[in-house]
């Protein structure tokens, strides 16, 4: 194709040839040259010491993803319009340059406290082929750059007659009657990207108690998280419905409390999942919610729980079955201390979540034994809670506790370390009250961040009865999540307390059958808030400006095997700008 | 197990041992004997003529389903509690008795008009083993009985250590330390069931234009529909976003209007789908929506369409892209007449849907050529529409037209035959106005029946702009759908006009990735309204009384490979009655 034809094409298509990155890097400059990848792409490490093993593996995966991708450019021609020229500049290698000598591994960086992780990187892709250069001071930073690198490329689409690339000679593809020799292309080289996160805690929470999720599903979720630079997998492991955690010495808890022998996580599973996550830049923060949300421990150890499945459940719990830890008893405290001491050895994270939401005091008020013990010890319920929780946090040292907001707001548990992270869930508006208490805070307000809402309740109202407002809460759309302002209600001198945010999936009405579509692409919406930040215009961000990039991400996730929900008719998806709000 | 122990167990478990059938048959009596199926179950036909081939195949499938099922009883022990006795009465055969001589095939009955199909059956399963008896006067009736038969049985659950049945010797299963020899069981024999549908039209509509759905997905959906006795698959085949239909002489419409060469249905696909459906008691009512919702035909035949993708789309269409048939032109009329004449030969149904919703008159008002033609012919827009639609219905004879409500309410198209079926979608409340017009009516009111709502809009509002109320409409939960009253607003002397109802899935935000969870189990909710009817208490039905049966159905669908959405935490699902509204 002549230069002039190419130039005319780019003028015509110009609005489309932006880098469709999600989350948006801090700075991106791009050009208008199509650059291709041929049959292979080498990875060249430039490091002062040894090549970090997990980064080398991640680079191999990134190259595999780019060269084998079935994610096609979102246009009616699915990218063929960029491939008219059979003589495109070809990228031959990706140089990964780790500056200094303390770059470590990805996993070693992830195991640090949130604020200490080095995630910055620079990426240059020249317009004339040759080597791309990814530069960072840490393996984790380079890993973040690999996610950006991946997102710059598109697979060569199948031919019009539906023949997939692999039916033709390797690395060759018939396009507009020509055979071309590319595996992938990027539409807008040269790229110069400088990037770092705006916030250190960008999370997603999965509840594996109300329904069980397989290891495969969790690993697939971690891969999707890594693609959008989410870095905290908050694993709400146990709850009142089932106890899937199986550890030596405590296997009976899962044997009797899990849904089945197969629906469990043992120490090997936890090890595999935390390692897989760490190698993908993700910190797994395990939660053993207590003293509420523990009824399922009753099946193996009835002595732990008061009020198991007691009715009417509305008096004793937020949802069935009722039942909470007898936290005023010494043996219960000791058992939980032993269990946490055991569990923490299996978890590389600097954090551990002890939960603490929705404690129902009626359970204890209506229980003679609880009352007798409190009287004997001369404790109020709050004093007993303070002592119990203090013991658990002691047992977990040096891990930093992560707690739901009730622990500091309602129960004022003063045994909580000052550096404990507080999750604000009851309302985003509560941030103004919580911030005063001085703890690092993470936004998980149900009004924006709960991915489970909007499908109706799981407690079915009989005919003529009105659904509780909680159950009738609207679906949190991706654009509603995206337009959350993490600084709303936060004073200027408290902004440093905002560690980040998380979407949350409580699994009342989610299991393996629909988990991907509940999470994705919505969980990615916060990646931009907490990675990219507010930029010059500040928060909230405008979702209509992110749509084209979010669409690209959605199809990219599907090509990775993640069943992310479509956002618009396919007609709209392949015609950015054609289905706009008027 | 002793008789007394068994009796005590049944007393204890009595509330659970009901027949968990969905939809509920007209009359069911059941007992308290557990009956089993051994390694095999014979099918014995008692017929005066030849055995209907499609019914014989359906019976084989039903037996396969029952004997290989991985659907387990919903209790904490997953049915093991019914299998303590290693000497249960065993069912050896299913007798299928077709009375009279004009029982026909399933497919032949399905091809009749809705009100003429014979769907009644009787089913007897004795408590002492031997033969079950299924009796009907038509193959279709017997097929409905097979769906009921299937739902009475549960698979033998895996052992506690997670070993699946197939790891043990065939037909044997280790349960509570015993090896038992059953493949399946039913908890509450003897059963005596007499059944027939309350309404003849029980449908589901899938939109295959906004996103394409594979043949496999459609066939899987048909199987799920058959399980709950839904009998109309309304196939919204074409729309403005894509034109997947590829027929000889009109292949260009799909070649240029489909999303890709692979995302099409040719005459073989249509044939396979309609045959598969008919053999499962389902009438496929194909819709080619017109004259609106046709913009995708523009790609191959620009002469057909006025105002393709004209902006601002809000002036010219309900959603992008704009574009409607030039129905005042003779050549356009002729082409559609030819196309419909061709298409109808491929469709066994007595019905064909020509749609007719959301016609936008601005498209024609702002088009000089349209105005010139109207002037030349001395027609108003309504007269032109009447002539055009009359020609299409003529071409489709003897098929009965199915139209959206605008055709009779807004456009008053008097060329419409009196027996045409009208779909009421704009509001359930419109039934009082439509019923006056005397057409048979089918309820598809968006306020109950639209499965696509509740996930937010597909046109993304920019920051600070409010979402249109349509997009912000709440999710239609299964219990909201279930509590629809088909007679509300219908006078006593108009009740005979209510042919039935349909749920509807417009596919703006649904594709292969999430289709099952959007449809199921919600689409089944109307099966009870329109099969079981209001019974002695009349409508609306109370969903809280259906929960246990609906849960059983949900897990049954999952065991069939349909990713139906969970309704409650698994803890609740296996403990019917434990998570009730208080």
């Amino acid at each position: 194709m002549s230069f002039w034809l190419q130039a005319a094409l780019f003028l015509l298509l110009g609005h489309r040839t932006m880098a469709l990155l999600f989350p948006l890097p801090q700075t991106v400059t791009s050009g208008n040259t199509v650059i291709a990848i041929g049959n292979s792409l080498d990875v060249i490490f430039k490091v002062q010491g040894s090549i970090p093993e997990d980064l080398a593996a991640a680079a191999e995966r990134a190259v595999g993803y780019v060269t084998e991708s079935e994610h096609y450019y979102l246009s009616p021609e699915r990218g063929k319009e960029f491939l008219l020229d059979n003589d495109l500049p070809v990228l031959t290698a990706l140089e990964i340059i780790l500056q200094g000598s303390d770059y470590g591994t990805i996993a070693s960086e992830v195991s640090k406290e949130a604020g200490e992780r080095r995630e910055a990187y620079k990426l240059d892709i020249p317009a004339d082929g040759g080597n791309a250069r990814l530069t960072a001071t840490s393996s984790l930073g380079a890993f973040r750059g690999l996610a950006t690198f991946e997102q710059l490329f598109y697979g060569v689409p199948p031919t019009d007659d539906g023949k997939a690339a692999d039916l033709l000679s390797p690395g060759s593809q018939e396009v507009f009657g020509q055979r071309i020799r590319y595996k992938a292309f990027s539409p807008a080289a040269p790229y110069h990207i400088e990037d770092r996160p705006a916030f250190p805690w960008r999370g997603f929470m999965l509840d594996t108690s109300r329904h069980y999720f397989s290891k495969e599903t969790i690993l697939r979720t971690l891969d999707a998280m890594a693609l959008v630079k989410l870095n905290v997998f908050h694993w709400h492991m146990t709850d009142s419905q089932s106890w899937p955690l199986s550890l030596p010495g405590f296997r009976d808890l899962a044997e009797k409390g899990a849904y089945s022998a197969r629906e469990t996580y043992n120490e090997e599973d936890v090890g595999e999942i935390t390692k897989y996550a760490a190698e993908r830049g993700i910190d797994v923060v395990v939660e053993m919610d207590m003293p509420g949300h523990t009824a399922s421990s009753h099946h193996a150890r009835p002595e732990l729980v008061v009020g198991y499945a007691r009715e009417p459940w509305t008096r004793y719990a937020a949802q069935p079955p009722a039942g909470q830890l007898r936290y005023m008893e010494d043996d219960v405290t000791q058992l939980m201390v032993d269990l946490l001491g055991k569990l923490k050895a299996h978890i590389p994270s600097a954090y551990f979540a002890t939960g603490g939401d929705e404690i129902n005091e009626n359970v204890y008020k209506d229980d003679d034994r609880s009352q007798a013990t409190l009287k004997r010890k001369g404790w109020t319920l709050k004093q007993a809670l303070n002592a119990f929780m203090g013991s658990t946090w002691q047992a977990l040292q040096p891990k930093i506790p992560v707690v739901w907001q009730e622990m500091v707001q309602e129960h004022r548990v003063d045994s909580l370390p000052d550096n404990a992270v507080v999750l604000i869930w009851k309302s985003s508006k509560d941030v103004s009250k919580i911030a005063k208490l001085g703890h690092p805070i993470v936004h998980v307000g149900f009004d924006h961040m709960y991915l489970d809402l909007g499908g109706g309740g799981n407690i079915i109202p009989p005919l003529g009865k009105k659904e509780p407002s909680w159950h009738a809460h609207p679906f949190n759309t991706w654009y509603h999540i995206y337009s959350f302002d993490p600084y709303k209600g936060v004073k200027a001198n408290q902004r440093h307390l905002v560690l980040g945010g998380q979407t949350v999936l409580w699994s009342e009405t989610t299991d393996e059958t629909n988990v991907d579509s509940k999470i994705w692409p919505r969980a990615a919406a916060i990646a931009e808030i907490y990675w990219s930040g507010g930029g010059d215009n500040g928060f909230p961000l405008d979702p209509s400006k992110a749509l084209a990039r979010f669409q690209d991400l959605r199809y990219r996730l599907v090509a990775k095997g993640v069943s992310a929900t479509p956002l618009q008719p396919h007609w709209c998806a392949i015609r950015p700008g054609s289905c706009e709000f008027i």
Side-chain angles (χ1 to χ4, degrees), chain A residues 2 86 104 140 160 185 241 262 281 320 374 438 468 490-491 496:
Chain A
S2 79
N86 214 344
L140 178 61
D160 281 341
F185 75 92
Q241 285 76 11
R262 272 180 281 195
L374 289 171
V490 178
K491 291 181 181 156
H496 68 283

Side-chain angles (χ1 to χ4, degrees), chain A residues 490-501:
Chain A
V490 178
K491 291 181 181 156
N493 64 358
Q494 296 165 338
R495 286 191 171 199
H496 68 283
L497 295 173
V498 179
L499 211 55

Side-chain angles (χ1 to χ4, degrees), chain A residues 268-284:
Chain A
E268 282 177 30
D269 299 323
V270 173
E272 184 180 338
I273 288 167
T274 53
K275 180 169 185 285
Y276 192 95
E279 291 171 356
R280 282 152 185 83
I282 298 167
D283 187 21
V284 177

